[in-house]
């Protein structure tokens, strides 16, 4: 008899300004030396197998194959003035995501890639300008190498103070409502045939639409007059 181990994501009224179970059989052979009982007629012969021999035979052919590929070390430098959450893509596949402090370098990891051309891309969201950005680089990988990508500094756009004056050309007092790019900013009552400073508003550099709205008290009809404004540093 043989003993074996067990199996194993309207009117010009206004003018407007701005396996863990693999070793079951091995473990048994280590703790209790394997014994093979050979019955020959009425005699029993005992043969001891060393643990090392049993381990060697049981694990033979079970070794995992060596990983193949060219090592590529990817680093990212954050050149923005604040901490950024950066995502790394290799050949359009999301590989990793890390938070990187302002002005610091961060190694993403070491990746094994096939020989040939590969595209490395990082993306991030910049809260200052409320927009997402990306940087991409294509490299021909032929030997172990490093790839370094850099985020871009995006400063918060500077705002400029604009003074808005209203001129009421109507023969009655009217209440004017000022809008910038469709958003309400201020309101003020302006006497008949007079002008008034509505106040100051802040606008970023670029082209903006300023409009003033008012209502005719007799007809209850609302009118609007719009003016396009280019805001520049000078």
């Amino acid at each position: 008899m043989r003993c074996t181990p067990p199996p194993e994501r309207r009117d010009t009224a206004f003018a407007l300004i701005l396996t863990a179970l693999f070793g079951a059989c091995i473990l048994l052979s280590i703790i209790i030396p394997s014994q093979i009982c050979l019955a020959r007629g009425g005699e029993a012969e005992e043969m001891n197998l060393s643990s090392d021999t049993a381990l060697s035979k049981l694990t033979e052919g079970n070794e995992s194959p060596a990983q193949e590929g060219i090592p590529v070390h990817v680093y990212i430098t954050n050149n923005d003035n604040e901490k950024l959450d950066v995502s790394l893509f290799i050949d359009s596949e999301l590989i990793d995501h890390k938070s990187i402090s302002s002005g610091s370098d961060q190694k993403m990891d070491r990746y094994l890639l096939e020989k040939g051309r590969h595209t490395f891309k990082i993306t991030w969201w910049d809260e200052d300008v409320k927009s997402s950005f990306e940087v991409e680089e294509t490299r021909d990988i032929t030997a172990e190498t490093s790839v370094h990508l850099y985020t871009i500094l995006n400063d918060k756009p500077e705002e400029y103070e604009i003074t808005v004056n209203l001129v009421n050309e109507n023969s009655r007092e009217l209440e004017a409502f000022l809008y910038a790019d469709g958003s309400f900013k201020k309101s003020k009552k302006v006497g008949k045939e007079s002008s008034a400073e509505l106040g100051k508003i802040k606008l970023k550099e670029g082209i903006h639409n300023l409009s003033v709205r008012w209502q005719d008290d007799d007809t209850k009809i609302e009118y609007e007059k719009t003016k396009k404004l280019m805001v520049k540093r000078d």
Side-chain angles (χ1 to χ4, degrees):
M1 181 180 69
R2 175 171 301 192
C3 303
T4 59
E8 319 204 32
R9 194 183 250 208
R10 175 196 8 140
D11 186 19
T12 56
F14 291 100
L16 171 65
I17 306 175
L18 239 269
T19 160
L21 293 182
F22 155 80
C25 200
I26 300 175
L27 181 60
L28 180 59
S29 68
I30 294 174
I31 298 176
I32 304 174
S34 298
Q35 294 183 333
I36 296 179
C37 304
L38 302 177
R40 297 180 180 176
E43 297 178 0
E45 182 178 347
E46 188 175 277
M47 182 172 70
N48 294 326
L49 299 178
S50 70
S51 297
D52 291 340
T53 302
L55 177 62
S56 175
K57 290 185 177 181
L58 288 170
T59 59
E60 186 175 351
N62 290 336
E63 296 179 0
S64 59
Q67 290 181 311
E68 296 181 355
I70 301 174
V72 178
H73 308 269
V74 180
Y75 298 84
I76 296 176
T77 296
N78 179 11
N79 285 328
D80 198 65
N81 56 5
E82 62 181 11
K83 186 176 182 179
L84 297 176
D85 292 329
V86 183
S87 297
L88 170 67
F89 295 78
I90 299 180
D91 299 329
S92 300
E93 181 181 352
L94 177 60
I95 301 298
D96 209 344
H97 180 90
K98 289 186 179 180
S99 293
I100 306 176
S101 300
S102 174
S104 67
D105 298 318
Q106 174 76 58
K107 180 175 182 179
M108 297 298 281
D109 211 334
R110 168 182 172 272
Y111 308 99
L112 297 176
L113 303 179
E114 294 180 352
K115 182 178 180 180
R117 187 173 291 271
H118 295 276
T119 299
F120 303 84
K121 180 175 72 175
I122 55 174
T123 64
W124 69 95
W125 172 265
D126 194 312
E127 188 63 26
D128 281 345
V129 295
K130 308 296 183 185
S131 182
S132 61
F133 295 87
E134 66 178 51
V135 169
E136 185 175 291
E137 180 178 340
T138 299
R139 294 279 295 272
D140 193 10
I141 306 301
T142 58
E144 183 170 358
T145 188
S146 295
V147 174
H148 209 139
L149 301 169
Y150 304 82
T151 67
I152 301 169
L153 172 63
N154 293 288
D155 289 327
K156 187 174 182 179
E158 188 173 352
E159 292 186 329
Y160 301 91
E161 196 171 70
I162 309 297
T163 300
V164 180
N165 291 314
L166 295 177
V167 177
N168 181 9
E169 298 176 343
N170 202 283
S171 59
R172 66 177 66 185
E173 180 185 73
L174 295 174
E175 184 173 12
F177 299 85
L178 178 67
Y179 291 78
D181 301 321
S183 298
F184 173 74
K185 295 298 182 181
K186 294 174 179 290
S187 67
K188 189 172 185 177
K189 288 186 176 182
V190 184
K192 64 179 184 178
E193 299 177 346
S194 65
S195 63
E197 183 179 303
L198 185 56
K200 299 179 185 296
I201 61 173
K202 289 185 177 181
L203 296 175
K204 298 175 183 177
E205 186 171 5
I207 298 175
H208 299 274
N209 288 313
L210 291 186
S211 61
V212 61
R213 302 175 187 176
W214 70 95
Q215 186 180 73
D216 186 299
D217 291 338
D218 294 334
T219 64
K220 304 302 180 183
I221 297 175
E222 186 178 87
Y223 296 90
E224 179 177 6
K225 191 168 187 178
T226 301
K227 184 173 184 179
K228 185 167 289 188
L229 173 69
M230 169 65 80
V231 177
K232 298 195 299 184
R233 181 184 295 274
D234 55 355

